[in-house]
């Protein structure tokens, strides 16, 4: 097999805006099938992807998997584990949108299924390829900052009026709320940088009327190596804090604003453009120690790398872009945060 026919299960924001354009931009992949019960979304898929087969539900797809070499699960969170299990049991490599599952038990079972079947599986933690995160990772790994003592990371928004989607009105058991949405990214990034966590302290709040789960969250992670990660995610922040503030023994790094790739995908830009993911110099972060601070170039973001690496994993036997065991570790942190918020004290993980 020299190329992959890809089926995307779910064609809402995740499937249509995040996954499909990146798959279409990968030379060794093609969007061959889409599952959606919406006539409008079905028509959108047909306009965007020549020859795409559209299925009204997952059952119809799994009854006709001819030619499909990769299944992408981009449905509401509580369905991730069930649909991924069906794809794995059919022997089809699988990508699962974050969060990987809504419980550690579900996630561990998926890893077991994939190992037993000898099938490649990965989790779509695209924020590992944010330009600002790539920059932080390079600064940490090359020792520019010295020994890192504190890592601060934020995804904050000002949305005082709920939109009413399932992420706001769904229950925690369904994986709704910011902890399992934005928190999946922030925790994954912290673990990628600084490794396993010794203890977790969480504050989960519901600030807006009419929502059923958390919309304002703070997490404090103590890593086994002593680094402390402080993570904020909120829909009710009228003044936004820095995206990253990383404090080391020799220097710090501070940057504001979000990686431009999400905005570009929402605007319908082609991920294959030459300047994809680049950040203008006026938006670069500051590196150094007071009073000697200077702008530091932000590396280009590279969301297309995820599906390039997934194609290499399936076709060439390379490692998957995100090891699903990393997603299991992140889920352990999220579950501990929820327990900690209920008790008001840190929860040990080791």
């Amino acid at each position: 097999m020299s190329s992959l026919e890809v089926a995307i299960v779910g064609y809402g924001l995740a499937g249509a805006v995040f996954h499909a354009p990146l798959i279409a931009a990968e030379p060794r992949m093609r969007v061959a099938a889409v599952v959606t019960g919406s006539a409008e979304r079905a028509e959108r898929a047909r306009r965007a992807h020549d020859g795409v087969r559209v299925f009204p539900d997952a059952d119809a797809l799994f009854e006709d998997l001819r030619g499909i070499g990769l299944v992408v699960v981009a449905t509401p969170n509580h369905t991730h584990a069930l649909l991924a299990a069906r794809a794995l049991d059919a022997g089809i490599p699988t990508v699962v949108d974050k969060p990987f599952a809504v419980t550690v038990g579900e996630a561990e079972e998926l890893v077991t299924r994939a190992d037993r079947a000898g099938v490649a599986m990965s989790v779509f933690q695209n924020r590992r390829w944010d330009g600002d995160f790539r920059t932080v990772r390079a600064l940490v790994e090359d020792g520019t900052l010295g020994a890192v003592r504190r890592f601060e990371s934020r995804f904050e928004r000002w949305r005082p009026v709920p939109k009413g989607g399932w992420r706001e009105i769904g229950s925690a058991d369904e994986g709704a709320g910011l902890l399992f949405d934005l928190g999946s990214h922030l925790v994954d990034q912290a673990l990628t940088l600084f490794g396993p966590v010794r203890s977790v302290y969480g504050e989960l709040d519901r600030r807006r009327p009419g929502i059923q789960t958390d919309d304002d969250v703070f997490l404090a992670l103590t890593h086994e190596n002593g680094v402390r990660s402080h993570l904020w995610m909120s829909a009710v922040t009228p003044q936004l804090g820095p995206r990253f503030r990383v404090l080391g023994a020799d220097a710090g790094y501070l940057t504001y604003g979000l990686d431009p790739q999400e905005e570009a995908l929402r605007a319908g830009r082609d991920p294959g453009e030459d300047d994809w993911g680049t950040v203008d110099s006026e938006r670069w972060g500051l590196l150094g120690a007071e009073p000697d601070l200077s702008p530091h170039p932000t590396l280009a973001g590279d969301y297309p790398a995820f599906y390039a690496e997934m194609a290499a994993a399936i076709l060439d036997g390379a490692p998957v872009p995100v090891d699903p065991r990393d997603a299991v570790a992140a889920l352990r942190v999220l579950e501990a945060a929820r327990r900690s918020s209920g008790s008001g004290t840190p929860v040990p993980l080791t």
Side-chain angles (χ1 to χ4, degrees):
M1 183 187 296
S2 60
S3 64
L4 291 164
E5 303 277 279
V6 182
I8 303 174
V9 185
Y11 205 67
L13 175 65
V17 174
F18 283 94
H19 291 276
L22 299 176
I23 293 165
E26 166 49 43
R28 297 205 288 177
M29 288 186 174
R30 184 179 81 87
V31 178
V34 163
V35 174
T36 179
S38 162
E40 184 276 329
R41 292 176 180 177
E43 182 56 31
R44 192 193 324 163
R46 293 187 179 99
R47 290 197 304 268
H49 307 289
D50 289 343
V52 68
R53 294 187 289 155
V54 178
F55 296 91
D57 52 46
D59 289 340
L61 170 68
F62 286 113
E63 289 172 2
D64 185 9
L65 285 169
R66 54 191 166 90
I68 298 299
L70 173 66
V71 169
V72 174
V73 178
T75 51
N77 295 347
H78 71 279
T79 66
H80 286 183
L82 175 62
L83 291 168
R86 293 184 69 178
L88 295 171
D89 289 348
I92 307 294
T94 303
V95 166
V96 187
D97 204 83
K98 60 80 194 167
F100 184 29
V102 296
T103 69
V104 169
E106 286 183 344
E108 290 178 328
E109 172 60 24
L110 288 178
V111 171
T112 298
R113 284 175 183 263
D115 287 347
R116 187 167 57 229
V119 173
M121 177 175 62
S122 191
V123 181
F124 189 62
Q125 288 289 1
N126 60 304
R127 294 289 180 178
R128 292 190 186 186
W129 289 271
D130 278 357
D132 48 17
F133 179 72
R134 295 185 67 225
T135 304
V136 168
R137 189 171 186 176
L139 292 171
V140 169
E141 292 179 351
D142 69 15
T144 298
L145 305 177
V148 174
R149 295 162 174 168
R150 188 181 306 277
F151 171 66
E152 299 178 5
S153 177
R154 293 171 173 84
F155 273 151
E156 295 175 326
R157 297 164 174 161
W158 176 232
R159 293 179 178 171
V161 179
K163 294 184 176 181
W166 66 264
R167 287 182 175 84
E168 295 177 322
I169 64 174
S171 69
D173 290 343
E174 295 172 312
L178 288 188
L179 178 67
F180 271 60
D181 183 20
L182 301 179
S184 295
H185 288 308
L186 297 187
V187 169
D188 177 74
Q189 289 180 335
L191 296 182
T192 298
L193 289 174
F194 304 113
V197 168
R198 184 166 67 238
S199 67
V200 179
Y201 169 74
E203 298 174 359
L204 280 65
D205 291 295
R206 288 182 290 174
R207 304 294 191 185
R208 297 171 296 173
I211 70 164
Q212 301 301 312
T213 189
D214 50 271
D215 64 354
D216 190 21
V217 178
F218 168 72
L219 303 183
L221 315 182
T222 302
H223 296 265
E224 290 182 2
N225 61 7
V227 175
R228 296 186 185 273
S229 290
H230 287 176
L231 314 177
W232 289 263
M233 58 225 72
S234 178
V236 290
T237 307
Q239 294 189 20
L240 308 183
R243 174 67 186 91
F244 290 114
R245 190 170 79 127
V246 192
L247 306 178
D250 299 329
Y253 176 73
L254 176 75
T255 186
Y256 284 83
L258 293 177
D259 176 276
Q261 294 176 95
E262 176 176 347
E263 182 180 355
L265 287 170
R266 287 176 180 267
R269 287 184 55 192
D270 181 356
E273 295 174 4
D274 290 340
D275 64 346
W276 181 261
T278 58
V279 174
D280 294 336
S281 58
E282 61 267 22
R283 292 185 54 197
W284 290 351
L286 293 177
L287 174 66
E290 296 286 357
D292 299 318
L293 306 179
S294 59
H296 182 76
T298 301
L299 295 173
D302 193 12
Y303 288 175
F306 179 90
Y307 277 108
E309 292 184 26
M310 195 65 198
I314 298 169
L315 298 174
D316 306 328
V320 295
V322 176
D323 190 325
R325 291 166 181 81
D326 293 350
V328 175
L331 277 168
R332 286 198 180 95
V333 172
L334 297 177
E335 286 191 352
R338 188 167 282 157
R339 295 196 304 274
S340 171
S341 183
S343 68
T345 59
V347 170
L349 262 71
T350 57

